[in-house]
Amino acid sequence: MKQWIALIAVAAVSLGLTGCVTRSYTDEPELRGARAKQGYGSSGDAEVKAKERIWFWQDDFRNP
């Protein structure tokens, strides 16, 4: 019986840790023209507009 409780506890913890994603929506200047060749990735001027936590049972988890 203790093995089942331990197994269920481990499953619940792993599901809690991997069952969601956090999406951030940012507003940042786009790299176009001559500046586009300087580098890749995000600039340091990005401003986070919204953060959203999406769990695995929501439709947006598999269809972003």
Side-chain angles (χ1 to χ4, degrees):
M1 184 67 174
K2 289 183 181 180
Q3 290 176 341
W4 283 103
I5 293 173
L7 182 64
I8 291 172
V10 169
V13 168
S14 65
L15 184 62
L17 294 174
T18 61
C20 70
V21 293
T22 303
R23 294 201 177 122
S24 299
Y25 301 100
T26 59
D27 183 24
E28 62 183 329
E30 296 180 10
L31 298 176
R32 295 179 182 239
R35 288 191 62 209
K37 296 178 184 175
Q38 292 178 356
Y40 298 100
S42 300
S43 66
D45 301 331
E47 180 182 338
V48 176
K49 292 294 184 183
K51 274 189 163 181
E52 182 179 9
R53 180 164 293 168
I54 300 172
W55 291 90
F56 69 93
W57 59 78
Q58 294 175 316
D59 290 334
D60 287 342
F61 187 80
R62 289 183 185 84
N63 301 319

